[in-house]
Amino acid sequence: MSTTPSVDLLVPPPGGVLIAVVGLACRLPEAPDPAAFWALLRDGRHAVTEVPPERWRPTGPDDPARWGCFLPAVDRFDAGFFGISPREARMMDPQQRLLLELAWEGIEDTGVPADHLTDRPVGVFIGAMADDYAKLVYGHGAGEDGPHVLTGLHRSVLANRISYRLGLSGPSLTVDTGQSSSLLAVYLAAESLRSGECEIALAGGVNLNLLVDTARYTADFGALSPDGRCYTFDARANGYVRGEGAALVVLKPLDRAVADGDRVYCVIRGGATNHDGGGDRLTAPRQAGQEQVLRRAYERAGVAPAQVGYVELHGTGTPVGDPVEAAALGAVLGRARPADDPLLVGSVKTNIGHLEGAAGIAGLLKVVLALRHRELPASLNFRSANPAVPLDDLGLRVNTEPGPWPGRRPLLAGVSAFGMGGTNCHLVLAEAPRDTAGTSVAPVVEGPVPVLISGRSAAAVQAQARRLADWWEGPGRTTPVPAVARALAASRAALEHRAVVVGADRESIVADLRSVAAEPSGLAPGGVVLVFPGQGWQRAGMARELLATSPVFADRLAACDQALSALVDWSVTDLLQSEDETWLSRVDLLQPVLWSVMVSLGEVWLSAGVPVAGVVGHSQGEVAAACVAGGLSLEDGARIVVTRARLIRELAGRGGMLSVGLGRAEVEPELPDGVETAVVNSPSSTVVAGPVPVLDAFAARLTKRGVRARLVLIDYASHSAAVDSVADRLVAELEGLTPRSSVIPVVSTATGDVLDTAGMDASYWLRNLRHTVRFDLAMQTLVSLGARVFVEVSAHPVLELAMSECVEAAGVPGVVVASQRRDQPQYDALLRALGQAWAAGVPVDWTIALGSGRSHVDLPTYAFQRARHWITAEPADDGAVDGGAEATVQTGDLGELTRTVAARVLGHQRPDDIDVDRPFKELGFDSSLSLQLCRRLGAAVGTTLP
């Protein structure tokens, strides 16, 4: 065994930078993801099959093109996810489509939401050498899809399409050096990171075998094995079997990855590239050139040849290539070792065939996984060495049995790829430093957690929920629930359609995920408003659980208690936790408690990062609203609510309030003498105030007519002339308030308009108590300013129906959220409320519920909703809009006409396939398709559109 000093995995070679592999993605034969690929390698299986009938027909049993390693459904793609129209998708090389999906999956695997990389210097480096689909398109003809042919088929766009769709601003290039293309792409990505040209890089390669002609030419060249196997270094070596697929790695400088808490699969210490320098012919490999690239790679990596435990060969199994590769390896690495410690070698081509332009990334991925799992899979199809490959003399041994790595530490490996034109590449990999190898940091969370799902469509959300449920029920799945929830929240992009499941155990969460699969979800973007109600939502036990489960709530309630302590001789905290609940019937105690609970719940919403665009308070709720908005200090808020409640208590027994299921205009003409309009909540909800006997008689009259009318459970008449008896004292006792302009806009229910809270002096608070509450006008103002999400901040919703009616009357989409519900556990209800807001498009900082820190969990990747897009698949009818669509103009349904024409222009089969809530660009409209839309719409309505 070698006594060469060990390599320090955290110390780069002189002048070098260590590069971490932090993300993986692949679609390989019989391996749709890295986990499946590792299972195929570990089990010693191969993916060789006869060619699928949809590709081509072999000429007979001796046809070398009969065999291959193929991907299923290469004609299917989730075009809508990437904002690509079906018409453009038909013209796109499926290699572009495949890489787009893998780029998304690779970024997901890093634990960073893909949308967090937008506008950052992230590089994309893709290796490829084939363009079979271009030949299919040229042979078929593009028709009206011609404007998309150039970008759809040009090989450079393989990388550019990823950069464009993900909004990445780093280098973006496609590399074609033949069979070394994808490994060279990884090499160039690492060099770009080392130079500081980009901070993250996506690197890999793709190869699809779509034409029998390409297979025939390869056979004519003499490279294909007649029996469809790769016999790497074996005496039976007679060529290779072709494979297809794609793989990507995500790279970062190791020091940056460590600082960011990334999971590091392994480290690229260095590498080298060169050209053979000329041999017998253009395509013949040259030993001297391969020796040179190996020596340079290990010198640059700071690794002595004897330290290397394994090399992933180019290993094509050709009679010419194998001996040259073996001789070069022996000269540089094998003979530098003791005779009893040969260098282990193998080739992934024995499992999945020769992926040609993507061969290097397939070999690299095999080594990354082998380092990660600390196991070496077997190289297949080896019985006895090629006589031209004297393994013992060269210090080499084909690894024919799966097992642990050689005893040396740390684990070091090399990966080779050689292009038929002479471009060589070799990379040197090392195991990940122990502290970066993907330890999962589960947040310290007890109790229920939110499990977040999102997608580009309702169908995608349903599919994602099913996929997550299936994954969670998989064998040996022991990941703690909080870790999974945290990983979902922190590592997945929040897409347009969303759903949230709240639970504390795996079984209940999985059951709820399966029910999510049956329900669509949607997005109602717009400003968020916190709505603070008046009285009527109090209940026994309210906030008791939140005091124990929400530190933010408890801390703010303690601050409210402190502000009240100078004015009262009791404690809000004590009352909320007391078993004696007689205080609920005393308004002088109740209203300060309600104020404290609302202020504290409001603080929870703010601490969750919810971008509050405005607040509104209903009657006494306006005091809490002003405090949360920053217009009042807690001390002034406490003074107002205590004074107001104490004076109201003097009104007790001298009146009441009646809720009526009619609008103001319908109620007021019928009001009895002495009864006034106290509150206007919505177009069909009004509250009146006055003497109780008169209210009883009025209620009986309304009920007899079938109108809802019920007494509110209070014994005084706020917002009426009854307040006049305490008006002067209220103003006098509130002199000296110091209101200020709020940070968050406040819409007053006294005026119905946006209010400068610096004017909330003593006289304003008299108006708040004496005059009609115009909640309906406040809602109209909020909706006109763009508010669409209304969060009621109380222990139980009392304004839910009124808010819904106001939004409906305005004719806009809206979402009403209740912070708490009396029939739900309090912390669960809070999480569900935050989840409902998030599902409506509201940003939420979920660290409030899940804690901070990384949680590395191998979650299922996005459930792409793929459909067939192929040159032989006809798009929707390209003709003029039919009579049915024209008829919609006569009924004024221009929206339906636009949707119908847009569907045809984009290539959809049905108008319902158009998501009218998405911007035109995200639907796939480019300049060419936009012109077509204008022309066809103009023809339908008989005018010219700009």
Side-chain angles (χ1 to χ4, degrees):
M1 188 67 65
S2 170
T3 58
T4 306
S6 177
V7 173
D8 189 328
L9 293 173
L10 290 171
V11 177
V17 174
L18 299 177
I19 303 300
V21 177
V22 297
L24 308 175
C26 73
R27 202 80 48 77
L28 296 168
E30 295 190 15
D33 54 50
F37 184 46
W38 176 247
L40 181 139
L41 294 170
R42 182 197 56 216
D43 296 344
R45 292 182 282 117
H46 69 76
V48 180
T49 64
E50 294 195 45
V51 61
E54 66 270 16
R55 296 296 179 94
W56 61 79
R57 301 281 183 181
T59 59
D62 297 328
D63 185 353
R66 173 186 176 190
W67 304 103
C69 300
F70 298 94
L71 297 184
V74 295
D75 57 340
R76 301 181 69 81
F77 171 56
D78 191 345
F81 181 90
F82 296 100
I84 295 169
S85 71
R87 189 173 301 281
E88 183 175 6
R90 291 176 68 238
M91 291 298 105
M92 282 177 62
D93 188 332
Q95 294 181 133
Q96 291 186 25
R97 310 177 203 161
L98 180 54
L99 287 168
L100 279 172
E101 293 185 359
L102 289 182
W104 189 269
E105 292 176 358
I107 295 170
E108 282 190 331
D109 189 55
T110 68
V112 174
D115 53 359
H116 286 198
L117 301 184
T118 302
D119 293 329
R120 288 173 61 182
V122 177
V124 180
F125 302 80
I126 298 298
M129 60 178 279
D131 50 11
D132 285 9
Y133 196 69
K135 297 178 178 64
L136 284 173
V137 171
Y138 295 149
H140 186 273
E144 285 200 12
D145 301 322
H148 298 116
V149 170
L150 187 63
T151 54
L153 304 180
H154 206 285
R155 206 177 301 164
S156 65
V157 182
L158 290 170
N160 301 159
R161 185 84 69 173
I162 295 172
S163 300
Y164 171 69
R165 288 296 168 187
L166 300 183
L168 313 178
S169 62
S172 182
L173 60 141
T174 302
V175 179
D176 184 357
T177 56
Q179 292 83 349
S180 59
S181 299
S182 58
L183 195 67
L184 189 65
V186 178
Y187 169 82
L188 293 174
E191 292 300 295
S192 183
L193 289 165
R194 290 187 175 104
S195 72
E197 191 173 42
C198 58
E199 60 181 33
I200 302 172
L202 280 65
V206 63
N207 185 67
L208 290 179
N209 301 323
L210 307 177
L211 280 177
V212 67
D213 293 345
T214 310
R216 298 262 187 267
Y217 298 148
T218 307
D220 292 345
F221 182 71
L224 289 192
S225 168
D227 48 1
R229 296 291 186 273
C230 287
Y231 298 106
T232 302
F233 281 15
D234 191 86
R236 295 167 293 166
N238 59 359
Y240 59 80
V241 61
R242 299 182 75 212
E244 65 178 10
L248 280 170
V249 292
V250 184
L251 309 177
K252 290 175 78 170
L254 178 61
D255 57 355
R256 183 71 263 161
V258 171
D260 291 343
D262 292 322
R263 170 176 55 186
V264 177
Y265 285 97
C266 71
V267 174
I268 300 175
R269 291 193 58 87
T273 183
N274 73 348
H275 189 271
D276 270 341
D280 295 338
R281 59 186 187 279
L282 173 65
T283 59
R286 183 167 173 258
Q287 180 179 334
Q290 292 187 16
E291 287 185 24
Q292 183 187 71
V293 80
L294 290 169
R295 287 194 176 92
R296 286 181 181 174
Y298 288 99
E299 287 170 5
R300 294 185 65 190
V303 171
Q307 295 174 309
V308 181
Y310 175 80
V311 167
E312 175 65 20
L313 303 166
H314 184 61
T316 56
T318 56
V320 175
D322 282 5
V324 173
E325 183 173 11
L329 272 175
V332 177
L333 296 173
R335 292 193 176 114
R337 312 161 71 88
D340 62 349
D341 182 30
L343 174 68
L344 297 179
V345 297
S347 174
V348 75
K349 294 175 180 63
T350 62
N351 302 95
I352 58 172
H354 191 345
L355 268 64
E356 297 170 345
I361 189 65
L364 181 87
L365 182 58
K366 171 185 171 181
V367 174
V368 170
L369 293 171
L371 289 167
R372 171 75 173 167
H373 292 281
R374 307 183 74 80
E375 295 179 34
L376 274 177
S379 189
L380 309 182
N381 306 330
F382 183 85
R383 288 200 309 228
S384 60
N386 185 331
V389 181
L391 293 176
D392 292 340
D393 293 344
L394 296 171
L396 308 176
R397 188 179 81 211
V398 176
N399 190 60
T400 57
E401 296 293 334
W405 282 69
R408 62 183 52 74
R409 292 292 182 272
L411 307 184
L412 295 163
V415 183
S416 290
F418 309 132
M420 66 178 178
T423 301
N424 305 318
C425 186
H426 189 84
L427 295 182
V428 182
L429 276 58
E431 64 179 300
R434 291 193 180 276
D435 293 339
T436 66
T439 55
S440 179
V441 181
V444 181
V445 177
E446 296 181 359
V449 293
V451 174
L452 312 181
I453 309 291
S454 74
R456 289 276 192 236
S457 65
V461 172
Q462 295 163 11
Q464 197 69 30
R466 288 193 297 270
R467 178 176 286 193
L468 184 59
D470 291 343
W471 171 87
W472 221 326
E473 289 186 322
R477 196 73 67 198
T478 59
T479 311
V481 168
V484 176
R486 173 65 183 156
L488 285 166
S491 69
R492 296 298 189 253
L495 303 174
E496 297 91 329
H497 293 261
R498 305 174 184 178
V500 181
V501 166
V502 174
D505 60 89
R506 185 179 73 167
E507 290 74 19
S508 65
I509 291 173
V510 167
D512 286 345
L513 285 170
R514 298 205 182 280
S515 67
V516 165
E519 299 178 7
S521 61
L523 194 62
V528 182
V529 174
L530 299 185
V531 181
F532 298 85
Q535 205 165 311
W537 49 270
Q538 63 269 21
R539 59 190 174 97
M542 65 176 178
R544 191 177 295 165
E545 182 187 332
L546 284 180
L547 279 168
T549 55
S550 173
V552 172
F553 181 88
D555 289 349
R556 194 61 170 168
L557 194 84
C560 291
D561 228 345
Q562 180 63 35
L564 288 165
S565 65
L567 305 169
V568 299
D569 59 358
W570 45 266
S571 161
V572 169
T573 304
D574 290 345
L575 289 180
L576 289 172
Q577 294 180 327
S578 171
E579 295 299 326
D580 179 5
E581 295 173 339
T582 57
W583 61 270
L584 285 166
S585 60
R586 282 187 52 181
V587 69
D588 58 326
L589 300 180
L590 176 63
Q591 289 197 353
V593 172
L594 298 183
W595 168 78
S596 301
V597 171
M598 286 190 288
V599 168
S600 302
L601 272 174
E603 184 65 21
V604 172
W605 282 94
L606 294 177
S607 67
V610 172
V612 177
V615 300
V616 63
H618 189 289
S619 189
Q620 69 144 354
E622 203 159 48
V623 187
C627 290
V628 172
L632 289 176
S633 66
L634 285 184
E635 289 70 24
D636 276 352
R639 183 180 166 196
I640 293 167
V641 76
V642 167
T643 302
R644 187 179 187 279
R646 178 169 46 77
L647 293 175
I648 285 175
R649 191 181 185 198
E650 296 183 16
L651 305 178
R654 294 156 55 186
M657 304 182 81
L658 178 74
S659 175
V660 180
L662 293 173
R664 179 190 183 193
E666 297 172 283
V667 171
E668 288 188 339
E670 299 188 44
L671 289 178
D673 291 342
V675 176
E676 301 175 51
T677 301
V679 179
V680 184
N681 281 325
S682 73
S684 67
S685 177
T686 307
V687 179
V688 298
V692 172
V694 180
L695 291 177
D696 282 339
F698 186 41
R701 194 165 75 243
L702 291 171
T703 302
K704 189 174 181 179
R705 288 167 40 197
V707 176
R708 178 186 58 80
R710 61 176 180 82
L711 286 172
V712 180
L713 295 177
I714 57 176
D715 60 352
Y716 51 87
S718 290
H719 310 293
S720 73
V723 175
D724 292 342
S725 63
V726 298
D728 292 342
R729 290 163 55 199
L730 179 68
V731 172
E733 292 187 33
L734 292 183
E735 286 297 327
L737 293 175
T738 57
R740 52 193 182 248
S741 296
S742 61
V743 176
I744 301 171
V746 174
V747 175
S748 168
T749 49
T751 68
D753 296 321
V754 178
L755 179 74
D756 182 352
T757 52
M760 282 183 157
D761 57 10
S763 61
Y764 178 84
W765 293 108
L766 173 60
R767 182 175 184 177
N768 165 273
L769 181 60
R770 169 63 180 87
H771 293 288
T772 304
V773 176
R774 293 307 304 270
F775 185 70
D776 61 330
L777 293 181
M779 285 292 294
Q780 289 176 25
T781 298
L782 288 163
V783 169
S784 70
L785 294 174
R788 297 294 183 268
V789 180
F790 301 89
V791 179
E792 185 165 348
V793 185
S794 63
H796 184 74
V798 292
L799 294 174
E800 191 172 33
L801 180 59
M803 288 189 284
S804 297
E805 288 182 352
C806 290
V807 171
E808 184 178 351
V812 298
V815 175
V816 176
V817 179
S819 297
Q820 296 279 277
R821 293 188 183 275
R822 65 165 57 100
D823 57 347
Q824 294 179 2
Q826 291 168 19
Y827 190 64
D828 284 48
L830 179 61
L831 293 182
R832 293 179 195 279
L834 287 166
Q836 187 182 355
W838 181 81
V842 176
V844 173
D845 179 0
W846 288 105
T847 58
I848 188 175
L850 296 169
S852 58
R854 301 292 291 272
S855 184
H856 297 292
V857 180
D858 290 320
L859 297 168
T861 53
Y862 185 78
F864 290 112
Q865 301 300 288
R866 301 182 180 99
R868 188 166 191 256
H869 302 284
W870 205 252
I871 186 61
T872 55
E874 294 301 324
D877 180 18
D878 290 338
V881 178
D882 61 28
E886 289 178 347
T888 63
V889 181
Q890 299 173 9
T891 63
D893 195 353
L894 291 173
E896 186 59 29
L897 171 68
T898 304
R899 189 173 186 169
T900 299
V901 177
R904 295 188 172 196
V905 168
L906 292 172
H908 290 287
Q909 296 295 329
R910 301 169 303 165
D912 288 348
D913 293 335
I914 297 288
D915 184 349
V916 296
D917 293 323
R918 296 183 72 178
F920 271 68
K921 182 178 179 181
E922 290 185 11
L923 290 173
F925 276 101
D926 54 19
S927 58
S928 171
L929 295 182
S930 297
L931 286 171
Q932 288 188 43
L933 177 66
C934 289
R935 175 171 57 82
R936 295 181 182 187
L937 276 177
V941 299
T943 188
T944 301
L945 299 179

